[in-house]
Amino acid sequence: MDVIEYLMTGDPAIRWQVMRDLTDAAPDEVAAERSRVATEGWGAALLAEQGDDGLWDGGTYRPGWIDENRPFFDAWTATHFSLQSLAEYGADPAAEPVRRAVDRAAGSARWEYNGAPYFDGEVEPCINGIALAVGAYFSRDAAPIAETLLATQHSDGGWNCWEDDTARPSSFHSTICALEGLWAWEQVAEASDEHRAARRRGEEYLLERRLFRRKSDGTVPDLRMTMISVPWRWFYDVLRGLEYFRLARPERDERCADAIELLREKRLDSGLFPFENHHEGPVLFTMEGEHDGFPSRWATLRALRVLRWWDDAPALT
């Protein structure tokens, strides 16, 4: 079984993106496959997990069963990361089950931090960046989040969830979330010059570090950033950075070259790419490719479309 054939045996969320991004299938064929996301596989399973209160697992950022006095840990079952996953699966926002689910979430979800409606955002840029990308994807008014991201950008061009002082160093994790949100928002809203300039400064933060190195001495600050993980949640890795630049700078910036070569080296003899770094935390259900060291359709899809972009390669067959 070749790589494309193997990918096409996966979930509809995988298949329609393979058809769009790797094989250049006809638009009507892509749309027909995409329509399955809301009614089959992971998309349908995720929609079925939404509660009668419009929330996933009873909470917005954290599940309702987490006591605020308990030590912090990540859980991927609440509304915020469920909406992120629904967008990553590529569920059609116009599909009735999807539109209804997002309507219900928008009406119910309130941030635990400040009690604000979901699409007004809160304060942490990693959270706000994801929420802004979700708002853009589902055509929701998330303009307040974009303004908050501008106000919390650091002087080095990036963002940092853990440091309020904008003169302090930024974080790869927060920066990629903020950039994805701002870029997605620009695609659906009339962005100001200030918005575009902020995004470009954020891109320079990553590019000056060649997507995974310290600017000061070229060392890798965290080896986990060189490992492929899916889903990403709020975490940064080189593949996520490359996926961003594939969209935001299609003309290709040579400062991505080191990250591209690191990615190429990960390709297995089978032509697939491995899942390397599992982000611990409760999940609503298990997807394929969530086992460290095993080949992953998600990782392979994303890696191959990055390499196709970089190499300016023809459609795969």
Side-chain angles (χ1 to χ4, degrees):
M1 183 181 296
D2 67 18
V3 171
I4 295 299
E5 185 180 359
Y6 177 70
L7 293 178
M8 290 300 292
T9 64
D11 191 87
I14 298 285
R15 296 198 301 264
W16 86 266
Q17 295 184 63
V18 169
M19 295 168 69
R20 180 192 64 183
D21 299 331
L22 298 182
T23 68
D24 292 351
D28 58 337
E29 295 175 0
V30 175
E33 191 60 43
R34 186 187 187 192
S35 70
R36 299 176 184 270
V37 174
T39 58
E40 301 176 19
W42 303 335
L46 186 57
L47 290 170
E49 290 285 348
Q50 187 178 29
D52 293 338
D53 58 0
L55 304 176
W56 275 266
D57 211 4
T60 300
Y61 186 79
R62 294 188 177 87
W65 47 265
I66 294 183
D67 188 296
E68 63 179 9
N69 296 316
R70 293 180 64 182
F72 172 83
F73 70 94
D74 283 313
W76 315 121
T77 56
T79 303
H80 179 61
F81 292 107
S82 295
L83 289 172
Q84 181 192 37
S85 293
L86 199 60
E88 287 182 343
Y89 298 163
D92 186 349
E96 179 58 23
V98 177
R99 184 195 60 76
R100 185 170 61 248
V102 177
D103 281 347
R104 293 170 63 208
S108 302
R110 295 291 185 274
W111 294 106
E112 290 85 359
Y113 175 81
N114 59 4
Y118 183 81
F119 289 114
D120 284 358
E122 50 130 274
V123 294
E124 289 198 5
C126 53
I127 296 173
N128 279 336
I130 292 171
L132 183 59
V134 168
Y137 185 84
F138 292 112
S139 301
R140 305 292 162 146
D141 182 7
I145 303 179
E147 296 307 313
T148 301
L149 284 175
L150 294 191
T152 53
Q153 188 172 26
H154 284 220
S155 57
D156 61 9
W159 285 262
N160 193 325
C161 282
W162 304 109
E163 181 56 71
D164 292 335
D165 182 356
T166 57
R168 299 296 296 273
S170 294
S171 155
F172 281 81
H173 303 297
S174 301
T175 299
I176 193 62
C177 292
L179 284 175
E180 288 171 348
L182 289 172
W183 183 85
W185 190 244
E186 284 184 31
Q187 310 314 301
V188 300
E190 186 174 349
S192 67
D193 290 342
E194 183 183 12
H195 283 80
R196 285 187 288 271
R199 178 173 61 81
R200 298 294 282 192
R201 288 197 303 275
E203 292 173 359
E204 287 300 311
Y205 172 87
L206 294 180
L207 290 168
E208 287 172 352
R209 291 156 179 81
R210 305 191 75 84
L211 275 63
F212 65 103
R213 299 185 181 278
R214 289 189 176 94
K215 185 178 178 181
S216 58
D217 59 11
T219 59
V220 179
D222 187 339
L223 285 175
R224 290 173 296 184
M225 296 196 313
T226 68
M227 302 166 70
I228 297 176
S229 62
V230 287
W232 289 311
R233 317 297 189 185
W234 57 262
F235 294 91
Y236 178 86
D237 64 45
V238 289
L239 180 53
R240 185 174 187 174
L242 288 168
E243 277 268 66
Y244 172 80
F245 284 105
R246 175 180 71 89
L247 298 172
R249 294 205 184 186
E251 68 277 10
R252 299 188 292 276
D253 189 298
E254 283 302 315
R255 289 171 291 180
C256 294
D258 289 353
I260 287 287
E261 291 313 306
L262 185 144
L263 179 63
R264 286 192 203 278
E265 292 171 1
K266 295 179 181 294
R267 195 166 190 172
L268 304 173
D269 291 343
S270 63
L272 303 174
F273 286 79
F275 176 90
E276 298 177 304
N277 184 25
H278 178 68
H279 300 308
E280 295 292 339
V283 295
L284 293 170
F285 55 87
T286 301
M287 302 187 301
E288 65 90 23
E290 290 190 347
H291 304 287
D292 292 3
F294 284 83
S296 163
R297 288 184 180 86
W298 260 131
T300 300
L301 161 65
R302 287 169 161 167
L304 287 180
R305 68 187 176 193
V306 161
L307 293 177
R308 185 186 179 199
W309 155 67
W310 188 260
D311 296 335
D312 195 20
L316 304 179
T317 57

